[in-house]
Amino acid sequence: MDNLASLRDQVLTAAAQAATVADLDEVRVAALGKKGQLTGLMKALSGLDPEARRERGQALNVVKDEVAAAIEARKVALEEAALNARLAREGVDITLPPRPEASGMIHPISQTMDEVIAIFAQMGFAVAEGPEIEDDFHNFTALNIPPEHPARQMHDTFYLPPQADDTRYVLRTHTSPVQIRTMQEQAPPIRIVAPGRTYRCDSDMTHTPMFHQIEGLVIDKSTHFGHLKGCLIEFIETYFELSDVPVRFRPSFFPFTEPSAEVDIGCSRKGGELRIGAGDGWLEILGCGMVHPNVLISCGLDPNEYQGFAFGMGIERIALLEYGIPDLRTFFDADLRWLKHYGFVPLDMPTVTGGLSR
Ligand code: PHE
């Protein structure tokens, strides 16, 4: 009997001293496992005569139950302590100030918009905005694109369901309707840029159904094509941070400008690597021209008194070129790894004097 009492004490002490659930499990196995000490004593019962077996069996069962209960109680206590320690370790103190290293990044589209706006702001342009859901008048008719005009097919327009009077709103296909809204709302002289989202029903390697443009509009009494050229060349040199980019004004057509031009910048593609600057290639980056007299008339301005120029530029395109991003569609994948790689630090605001981006 004595050896049973001392075994009991020994196991209870070991259980109480076990510092971890794993240690405790070793104690349990040593006492109650298949080859455990108490289990061994139970097995030895078969060698006793019935009277002694009953007595010894009862005593063993009492100890076994007591030991099992003690081990279980210790296990619950150890688990609770482990949980509390973990909660304390991983706790978040929401009263602490934020960490200095910010983890959010500015998307290259936003950064490019800010850069372009900073450059034109420096030249004296203000920012104007307009709705993304437009009516036919502002998106087309006032821009000298009457109904049935073939130029409407240049834009793969998203139409909204027809209204009661059969008119249909559209998702604006360009930022040019902001020209109209601005001329309707403010008197010349006008000098604005209008950045924003635009939509066309088109999707492939180089087109996404939603994309961004920035529009420019200057209206005054003596504005001429020389101003247009000077303004855009200044923009291009500042944006690409190169002082001698070849710039080409190539005759083109837009219903709302006359004459119209597309602007190409010089580049080289040696070894498959695209470089902006001198080279034997050209890259188209924007459309522009002198505001068509019909557009001025639609906005209530007298074309004999006022004239001006306008331009429109794709933001994704110039962002791709500046930051060497190979695939347009990745802009809208919302992939955090991509954003970490191409994104910008939030407080790194672009300014012409302080440096745009690099
Ligand atoms: N709105 C034209 C386009 O989306 C760009 C443009 C704007 C051209 C202003 C001339 C003047 O392609």
Side-chain angles (χ1 to χ4, degrees), residues 155 173-174 176 179 200 213 215 254 256-257 287-289 310-312:
H155 302 217
T173 56
H174 48 181
S176 301
Q179 288 185 35
R200 287 183 204 176
Q213 286 190 337
E215 191 83 10
F254 298 103
F256 32 91
T257 46
C288 61
F311 58 87

Side-chain angles (χ1 to χ4, degrees), residues 149-186:
H149 191 287
R152 289 206 178 191
Q153 280 148 31
M154 284 164 60
H155 302 217
D156 304 286
T157 312
F158 283 114
Y159 286 93
L160 273 72
Q163 302 288 106
D165 63 0
D166 242 25
T167 57
R168 301 182 86 173
Y169 285 100
V170 301
L171 295 182
R172 67 178 178 192
T173 56
H174 48 181
T175 41
S176 301
V178 185
Q179 288 185 35
I180 305 301
R181 291 184 179 275
T182 307
M183 285 187 271
Q184 286 174 329
E185 280 160 23
Q186 31 179 295

Side-chain angles (χ1 to χ4, degrees), residues 181-336:
R181 291 184 179 275
T182 307
M183 285 187 271
Q184 286 174 329
E185 280 160 23
Q186 31 179 295
I190 291 171
R191 230 184 276 135
I192 57 110
V193 282
R197 294 193 182 104
T198 49
Y199 302 84
R200 287 183 204 176
C201 188
D202 203 352
S203 181
D204 59 34
M205 273 283 283
T206 52
H207 297 89
T208 51
M210 188 278 297
F211 57 103
H212 299 78
Q213 286 190 337
I214 187 158
E215 191 83 10
L217 176 70
V218 172
I219 302 285
D220 209 336
K221 288 188 172 157
S222 57
T223 312
H224 56 71
F225 206 92
H227 294 130
L228 164 60
K229 286 184 72 173
C231 174
L232 291 177
I233 291 170
E234 171 76 18
F235 164 74
I236 289 165
E237 290 182 348
T238 314
Y239 179 76
F240 290 105
E241 290 171 280
L242 293 168
S243 55
D244 55 353
V245 204
V247 179
R248 177 168 84 173
F249 287 75
R250 186 167 34 78
S252 184
F253 171 79
F254 298 103
F256 32 91
T257 46
E258 181 58 38
S260 303
E262 277 170 313
V263 174
D264 300 335
I265 53 173
C267 67
S268 82
R269 295 186 171 88
K270 267 203 201 89
E273 198 202 343
L274 181 68
R275 293 185 67 125
I276 308 296
D280 46 15
W282 293 101
L283 256 175
E284 180 203 320
I285 61 159
L286 62 90
C288 61
M290 300 307 294
V291 177
H292 196 290
N294 288 351
V295 175
L296 296 169
I297 293 167
S298 299
C299 300
L301 293 176
D302 178 359
N304 293 314
E305 190 179 2
Y306 291 110
Q307 56 189 0
F309 65 83
F311 58 87
M313 189 159 45
I315 295 287
E316 280 78 0
R317 184 165 190 121
I318 61 168
L320 288 179
L321 293 174
E322 197 188 1
Y323 301 122
I325 299 171
D327 186 344
L328 175 70
R329 288 172 295 191
T330 57
F331 275 118
F332 309 114
D333 282 347
D335 184 332
L336 281 178

Side-chain angles (χ1 to χ4, degrees), residues 44-166:
L45 285 176
S46 56
L48 300 178
D49 59 56
E51 184 65 12
R53 191 192 301 164
R54 213 188 65 228
E55 213 173 292
R56 177 75 171 158
Q58 273 175 359
L60 271 174
N61 270 330
V62 169
V63 172
K64 198 179 132 197
D65 289 346
E66 188 184 2
V67 164
I71 289 175
E72 184 56 30
R74 179 73 185 145
K75 189 174 167 209
V76 170
L78 282 176
E79 281 173 347
E80 196 177 293
L83 178 64
N84 286 337
R86 187 167 161 209
L87 285 174
R89 196 169 57 242
E90 297 178 5
V92 175
D93 181 353
I94 57 166
T95 64
L96 288 174
R99 294 185 182 204
E101 76 276 18
S103 58
M105 304 289 269
I106 301 291
H107 195 283
I109 295 288
S110 308
Q111 179 78 13
T112 304
M113 291 260 206
D114 288 347
E115 287 174 26
V116 175
I117 291 168
I119 296 169
F120 284 108
Q122 171 95 354
M123 293 191 230
F125 284 71
V127 173
E129 283 182 307
E132 289 170 31
I133 295 176
E134 264 299 3
D135 54 41
D136 190 275
F137 177 78
H138 291 91
N139 197 80
F140 293 121
T141 309
L143 286 161
N144 198 30
I145 316 176
E148 317 307 335
H149 191 287
R152 289 206 178 191
Q153 280 148 31
M154 284 164 60
H155 302 217
D156 304 286
T157 312
F158 283 114
Y159 286 93
L160 273 72
Q163 302 288 106
D165 63 0
D166 242 25

